[in-house]
Amino acid sequence: MSVRILALVGSLRAGSHNRQLAEAAAKHAPEGVEVEVFEGLAEVPFYNEDIDVEGSLPEAAARLREAAGSADAILWFTPEYNGTMPAVLKNAIDWLSRPFGAGALSGLPVAVIGTAYGQYGGVWAQDEARKALGIAGAVVVEEPKLAIAGSVVRFAELHPADDTEAVDGLVEVLSQVAERTRAAAA
């Protein structure tokens, strides 16, 4: 079974190291695994139940739900902003968790990884994202974890796709997510 993994990146800036890490995941995905980096997370409006109405759902939110609904799993790439995940990722969780109990996250395998400037690589943000995703109904793949520290220095001149340690970590995470996805489908 081929596994389609949707990559959601929590940093919106053009030179984002987490975006580069997602590109590296797509480039180095193991055989039988396809990684698609979602475009347009910045256009998804903040979740508001008043606009989450059939027939008038914002187009960007509908595209996000459609992409998540057609994926076999989601890989969340998060930097750490003030000790937690960026609002854009929390907003994606909110949109994908609705309707309650039947949202695109319900029963879907997910993993959270990333890179950050600090010495711990964004582990607080990753922990917060895992917590929110679990509460939202996703099946959180807890291991292996991948938190790459010192992103500004480490990736100043080296793309994560060319960093052997980063690639090895990505392949390990992708393999585990694929294995869990296949087991859930069996």
Side-chain angles (χ1 to χ4, degrees):
M1 164 186 172
S2 181
V3 175
R4 294 186 60 239
I5 299 175
L6 181 67
L8 296 179
V9 180
S11 176
L12 303 177
R13 69 182 185 86
S16 164
H17 296 120
N18 278 284
R19 172 63 185 220
Q20 292 174 3
L21 197 60
E23 292 166 355
K27 179 178 179 179
H28 294 288
E31 187 173 334
V33 176
E34 174 191 344
V35 177
E36 174 193 347
V37 180
F38 183 78
E39 302 293 343
L41 210 51
E43 285 77 46
V44 178
F46 280 111
Y47 185 79
N48 176 341
E49 198 170 1
D50 292 340
I51 63 172
D52 188 4
V53 179
E54 192 172 326
S56 64
L57 185 67
E59 182 182 333
R63 279 187 289 117
L64 174 62
R65 283 183 174 165
E66 182 180 322
S70 65
D72 297 313
I74 300 178
L75 188 54
W76 301 74
F77 291 81
T78 186
E80 190 167 272
Y81 293 174
N82 298 312
T84 193
M85 73 180 116
V88 69
L89 285 185
K90 176 61 171 73
N91 189 48
I93 293 169
D94 292 342
W95 277 105
L96 295 176
S97 69
R98 307 302 196 286
F100 182 75
L105 287 176
S106 186
L108 189 70
V110 300
V112 181
I113 64 173
T115 185
Y117 177 67
Q119 65 180 337
Y120 301 112
V123 295
W124 289 350
Q126 291 181 27
D127 288 344
E128 291 292 320
R130 285 185 197 97
K131 174 185 163 191
L133 286 161
I135 291 169
V139 177
V140 179
V141 177
E142 295 284 348
E143 296 291 336
K145 290 181 168 65
L146 181 61
I148 302 172
S151 60
V152 173
V153 175
R154 182 168 184 164
F155 301 126
E157 296 181 21
L158 179 69
H159 191 285
D162 300 320
D163 182 307
T164 303
E165 183 181 358
V167 170
D168 289 348
L170 285 168
V171 169
E172 185 178 0
V173 169
L174 291 168
S175 297
Q176 184 61 37
V177 170
E179 182 179 314
R180 291 285 300 275
T181 301
R182 289 181 184 115

